[in-house]
Amino acid sequence: MKHLYRISLFLNAGFLLFAVYNYGKSLFYHESVKEEQAPIIQNITMVEEAETDLPQKAEADVQTKKDISKQEIPVSSQKATTTADTVYVVESYDHGTDEVSEKEETIPDQYIGKTREELEDIVAAYSDAPSLSDLEKGFASMELKSFSPNRLVVTKNYYTDLENENFYLLVENEYINVYYSDLKTVYLYTDILLSDLPEDIQQDILNKKYIESEEELYNFLESYSS
């Protein structure tokens, strides 16, 4: 009996050692698998995070491009305007004496911050309603000669020797108008209709009737004005 009991104890100890061995082997295997899978799981997590960030990154890229495009708008696409530092030159031309002079002046406040088109309108308005001082000098018209943000030049036309000035009668919209000898500057608008004049006078005016002096001009106007 003692012999059998010892054999039984020996067998049980063997089975116990075998079980411990298998458990240890199994535990080692699972740890090895975890270590091998760890980089794979980490890569998968990084990919998933990158995919999650893609819409946000794409939106950020679009916004960045918009910001860059706003900064890169070329200055040339904007209309040039004058400033308080723009050099303002007034050129005076006396048609009676053919004298030309230039004078640099302070740019008028109403000329600052204007485009070429806006200045052309301002100059045209001044031609229709010039200052009293210009009228006393024989002012006839004003025009914009050259324009840039750095330099602005206007030309004022004068007739200071009207006693010796010549005129032309022209037809415009069926009415007779009086022009200076340059055939560009209006001296006087009249209410005389071409059709109210004798036929021979009509033909002369259609051919740009020449008037030698201011006295002759007023004699004509008095004769045919209503």
Side-chain angles (χ1 to χ4, degrees), residues 168-182:
Y168 285 92
L169 302 182
L170 303 178
V171 181
E172 294 180 320
N173 298 323
E174 300 182 4
Y175 285 90
I176 309 303
N177 292 327
V178 183
Y179 277 77
Y180 286 104
S181 57
D182 64 357

Side-chain angles (χ1 to χ4, degrees), residues 122-185:
I122 293 174
V123 168
Y126 185 85
S127 289
D128 294 335
S131 66
L132 180 60
S133 60
D134 266 341
L135 287 173
E136 291 174 347
K137 296 176 185 177
F139 177 87
S141 64
M142 181 178 176
E143 58 192 33
L144 182 62
K145 183 175 182 180
S146 64
F147 167 85
S148 77
N150 300 322
R151 182 180 172 86
L152 175 66
V153 181
V154 298
T155 299
K156 288 184 177 182
N157 299 296
Y158 296 93
Y159 288 89
T160 59
D161 192 14
L162 296 178
E163 291 78 12
N164 298 323
E165 184 59 60
N166 303 321
F167 305 94
Y168 285 92
L169 302 182
L170 303 178
V171 181
E172 294 180 320
N173 298 323
E174 300 182 4
Y175 285 90
I176 309 303
N177 292 327
V178 183
Y179 277 77
Y180 286 104
S181 57
D182 64 357
L183 293 174
K184 296 179 181 179
T185 308

